[in-house]
Amino acid sequence: MNIKNQALGGFSLVELMVGMTIGLITVLVVTQVMSVAETRRQASISGADSVVNVGLGLYTIEREGKSAGYGLTALQTAIGCPIKAMHDTTPINLNLVPVTIIDGASGAPDQVRFLASSKSGVALPMRISQDHRVETAHFFVDSDMGATDQDLMLAVPTTSSGATWCTVFEHHSGGGGGNNGNNGNGGGQGLNQISHPSGQSSLNPNAAWPSAGYTAGDAIVNLGSLSDRTYFIDNKKLRVSIYTLRTASSVSADLYPNIVQLQAAYGKDTNADAVVDTWDNATPATSAAWQQIRAIRVALVARGQKRESGTVTLDGAAAASTCASTNPHPAAVCWKPNPAGDGVKIDVSAGNAEWQRYRYRVAETTIPLRNVIWRE
């Protein structure tokens, strides 16, 4: 009887307290392990997302850069020519350059703009065979190969100046116009024609033309519909703005999230030896200076999504110093505008007081302007 009562007595209070203590310690250990594992998992996912976003963003810009200048650079001396057009009564001003870097003030993100002909077939320049006066509606050219109705065309003078520039117009082969298409001098009949009748397009008013018109030996470039895209950073996203010259309007679209910086520099061949010898972001001021550009350098910076508990990114003099060293500290955000020179710090502090509690990934590359080099 005593044995039975003893067997039904259960655990003592001391035994229960010991068991609960062991259980709580086990739960605490498991919780700590799970917390550390989750933190590392989030950091790994955040880092992977950053690598993917910055890699895809840089690839997109690189692909655009390798196509820049297609159809525009076969006339090497025309690079840098100011482009003028009129959309009804609205003036349009561009430059005939494959790429333009719009420098961000005080370390803000840069913007990179690319121009190219969108013509999928032949985009060779057409030589103007007879002088073209402003009031006439037809250019006479040696060959009109590849020209189709509603292609945007660019009249290019042999040498641009304050009185002569490049003019955009829209080609309409069926349109009549000034002086019955004979350029006012009785010649040109039976020659190939590129026409711009003023009544058939909002891009064809005479107000856009240089007063002296164009002369024999000048050229016409087929733009197709002109590819004009600008890549920029807005609200921690890489975005693209697509400008449509035909309607003088633009639309923007998001590309990749968590991209916080874009920096770019021109690669220039200043001594005409076909080798880039200068890297800077100074915008060329002359046509000759524009013709020196052979490549660009681009860097994108992606920010991780996870906010760390402490400071994980360097700032100030410490960051600048390590960026300029042979082996920069991994906590510094750096890039090399000159691939053979010292690195420089990239400012990623804009818009977030706690920016140093995030990790960043930098991707950079050199983009050769192939169509400038190959003169296509």
Side-chain angles (χ1 to χ4, degrees):
M1 189 67 180
N2 291 336
I3 295 175
K4 183 177 180 180
N5 289 339
Q6 185 177 1
L8 297 176
F11 294 104
S12 67
L13 180 59
V14 173
E15 291 172 328
L16 287 173
M17 295 297 292
V18 170
M20 291 179 63
T21 301
I22 294 174
L24 289 173
I25 292 174
T26 302
V27 170
L28 179 61
V29 171
V30 171
T31 301
Q32 286 285 85
V33 171
M34 292 298 293
S35 176
V36 171
E38 179 64 16
T39 298
R40 291 181 177 177
R41 186 187 72 85
Q42 290 180 3
S44 177
I45 293 174
S46 176
D49 288 345
S50 299
V51 171
V52 170
N53 289 338
V54 78
L56 289 175
L58 194 63
Y59 169 75
T60 301
I61 295 175
E62 183 176 18
R63 183 180 60 182
E64 196 78 48
K66 288 180 178 179
S67 300
Y70 170 70
L72 308 180
T73 57
L75 298 171
Q76 192 78 359
T77 57
I79 297 177
C81 176
I83 299 174
K84 295 187 180 182
M86 292 287 291
H87 184 268
D88 293 329
T89 59
T90 303
I92 300 172
N93 294 285
L94 306 169
N95 278 318
L96 183 59
V97 293
V99 59
T100 304
I101 298 171
I102 300 99
D103 188 36
S106 303
D110 296 338
Q111 300 180 30
V112 185
R113 183 178 189 177
F114 298 103
L115 295 183
S117 169
S118 65
K119 195 68 177 176
S120 58
V122 177
L124 295 175
M126 296 168 273
R127 181 182 175 275
I128 298 172
S129 58
Q130 295 193 16
D131 291 352
H132 177 83
R133 297 197 326 219
V134 173
E135 65 272 15
T136 57
H138 306 279
F139 282 94
F140 293 100
V141 295
D142 289 344
S143 171
D144 61 355
M145 184 173 62
T148 57
D149 274 4
Q150 299 185 358
D151 278 348
L152 294 183
M153 300 289 181
L154 184 69
V156 182
T158 303
T159 303
S160 60
S161 65
T164 59
W165 55 79
C166 296
T167 306
V168 174
F169 64 94
E170 189 172 270
H171 170 54
H172 287 269
S173 61
N179 297 311
N180 298 318
N182 64 9
N183 280 10
N185 59 12
Q189 298 301 318
L191 297 180
N192 299 301
Q193 298 182 6
I194 299 296
S195 303
H196 55 92
S198 59
Q200 297 192 26
S201 171
S202 56
L203 281 173
N204 288 354
N206 290 337
W209 300 94
S211 59
Y214 292 89
T215 61
D218 291 345
I220 293 177
V221 172
N222 192 338
L223 300 178
S225 58
L226 186 65
S227 173
D228 183 350
R229 301 190 177 197
T230 302
Y231 292 86
F232 63 101
I233 305 295
D234 182 43
N235 194 27
K236 297 188 291 296
K237 297 176 183 177
L238 178 64
R239 309 192 73 207
V240 62
S241 174
I242 303 173
Y243 181 73
T244 303
L245 182 59
R246 197 184 303 275
T247 60
S249 62
S250 61
V251 295
S252 298
D254 293 344
L255 293 179
Y256 303 104
N258 297 314
I259 305 294
V260 297
Q261 259 288 10
L262 187 162
Q263 292 293 305
Y266 295 111
K268 302 174 182 177
D269 173 18
T270 61
N271 56 8
D273 65 350
V275 177
V276 172
D277 51 67
T278 300
W279 295 90
D280 60 41
N281 58 4
T283 302
T286 65
S287 178
W290 278 113
Q291 293 169 34
Q292 294 176 350
I293 297 175
R294 294 290 182 270
I296 60 170
R297 288 274 295 167
V298 176
L300 285 182
V301 182
R303 192 189 77 176
Q305 300 181 44
K306 185 178 184 301
R307 176 184 175 276
E308 303 290 348
S309 59
T311 297
V312 293
T313 299
L314 295 177
D315 186 24
S321 175
T322 189
C323 285
S325 66
T326 305
N327 297 304
H329 194 284
V333 184
C334 316
W335 84 297
K336 287 189 172 184
N338 180 346
D342 293 335
V344 298
K345 182 187 74 169
I346 300 178
D347 184 5
V348 292
S349 63
N352 189 344
E354 296 185 329
W355 65 272
Q356 286 185 275
R357 294 192 174 189
Y358 291 87
R359 300 183 187 276
Y360 300 86
R361 293 287 189 276
V362 180
E364 56 187 293
T365 190
T366 300
I367 305 174
L369 300 180
R370 299 186 300 190
N371 292 304
V372 175
I373 298 169
W374 298 341
R375 298 189 179 183
E376 292 190 354

